[in-house]
């Protein structure tokens, strides 16, 4: 790829990539991704204003996950739904905030794509000014169905079937990181509020084969099984030959923890735990968190596992199913699989 003398906008990047990778493209995918970028700009503005406006604090409602819904969660969810529903490229949507699939109103045309998203992940960090994010995965529907009651099978596809995935991170700056898979690479764009554009800032992100960081909520230690104990203890054990102990870094906001490890290397873990029977298969959601980030990390040379095999190969059975997640540098995640599957104990 020729060296660039200026940073191109996300819009230009998507167009160039579509022309290169998908010459017969109708432009539908480009419209879809660009509208998502507009939604993220609106969310970014509110997240950055949140400290000033009275938009903080909860609404007193709870979402499908039984979690307190923060006003910004609701706002972000509405912005994405309202922006995405009118572009005529989607047959339906799935959101971490909504129990059921979201239909496209009759007044708008339907399309061939499906978007699954977590509108504002890490929301418990909103009022302490820690980075939070939007995570998304895009699929093409397989059937000819258009009615919402018959589209769940089109939605419950393994993560490997995604045609694009990525996230927006609202932190010291707002960034978008995305990939369309198939060797097209992972690219990062930084929002320049003064011009209102996301400009290419991290071209072709590659994550290190092996890291020096492990990320896990050690407060869950009493609720783990012995394989998980042995795995986490491995990263904390002194062994100069394997450059251990690793550094512990855990923000408690998946997008922030994932993004740091993607760039620097390392492993993020959210193991299954016995703290909450509803979350015995782990806290994180397969369709709107694990699959999109697994798609990104694989394209960047990393790997994502549920402890036994690739996240991207899991055949989904429910829209909101949870999954244990080990994601990041390939060598570290493969090692986690050896511990969790019992093949290794130290
Ligand atoms: P815990 C935030 O609520 C979230 O869904 C992810 O962003 C984050 O990685 C995880 O939960 C943190 O969970 O149990 O460590 O607070």
């Amino acid at each position: 790829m020729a060296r660039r003398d200026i940073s191109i906008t996300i819009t230009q990047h998507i167009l160039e990539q579509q022309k290169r990778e998908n010459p017969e493209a109708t432009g539908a995918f480009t419209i879809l991704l660009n509208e998502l970028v507009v939604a993220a700009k609106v969310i970014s503005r509110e997240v950055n204003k949140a400290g000033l406006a009275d938009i903080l604090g909860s609404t007193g409602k709870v979402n499908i996950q039984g979690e307190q819904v923060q006003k910004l969660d609701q706002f972000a969810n509405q912005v994405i739904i309202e922006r995405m529903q009118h572009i005529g490229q989607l047959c339906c949507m799935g959101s971490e905030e909504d129990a059921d699939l979201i239909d496209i109103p009759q007044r708008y045309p339907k399309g061939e794509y499906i978007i699954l998203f977590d509108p504002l992940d890490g929301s418990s960090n909103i009022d302490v000014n820690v980075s939070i994010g939007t995570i998304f995965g895009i699929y093409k529907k397989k059937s000819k169905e258009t009615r919402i009651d018959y589209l769940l099978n089109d939605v419950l596809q393994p993560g490997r079937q995604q045609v694009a995935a990525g996230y927006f991170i609202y932190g010291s700056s707002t960034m978008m990181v995305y990939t369309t898979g198939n060797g097209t690479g992972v690219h990062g764009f930084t929002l320049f509020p003064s011009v209102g554009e996301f400009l290419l800032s991290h071209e072709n992100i590659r994550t290190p084969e092996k890291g020096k960081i492990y990320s896990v909520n050690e407060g869950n230690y009493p609720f783990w099984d012995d394989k998980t104990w042995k795995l986490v203890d491995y990263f904390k054990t002194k062994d100069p030959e394997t450059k251990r102990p690793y550094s512990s870094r855990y923000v408690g906001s998946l997008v922030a923890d994932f993004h740091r490890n993607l760039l620097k290397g390392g492993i993020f873990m959210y193991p299954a735990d016995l703290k909450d029977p509803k979350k015995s298969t782990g806290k994180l959601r397969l369709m709107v968190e694990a699959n999109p980030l697994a798609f990104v990390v694989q394209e960047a040379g990393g790997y994502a596992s549920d402890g036994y095999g690739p996240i991207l190969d899991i055949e989904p059975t429910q829209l909101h199913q949870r999954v244990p997640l080990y994601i990041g540098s390939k060598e570290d995640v493969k090692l986690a699989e050896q511990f969790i599957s019992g093949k290794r104990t130290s």
Side-chain angles (χ1 to χ4, degrees), residues 78-91:
Q78 274 319 103
V79 166
I80 294 172
I81 291 169
E82 283 165 15
R83 291 227 67 98
M84 299 308 286
Q85 68 185 6
H86 79 273
I87 56 174
Q89 308 305 334
L90 295 170
C91 62

Side-chain angles (χ1 to χ4, degrees), residues 67 96 118 121-125 216-217 220 250 252-255 257 268 270 273 275 283-285 289:
E67 291 164 345
E96 188 252 359
D118 184 349
D121 179 82
S123 51
S124 53
N125 293 295
V216 71
N217 181 348
N220 291 334
Y250 191 76
S253 179
L254 175 57
V255 176
D257 282 316
F268 172 93
Y270 208 103
D273 65 55
K275 185 171 167 184
K283 173 180 185 181
L284 301 178
R285 297 84 175 181
E289 289 169 327

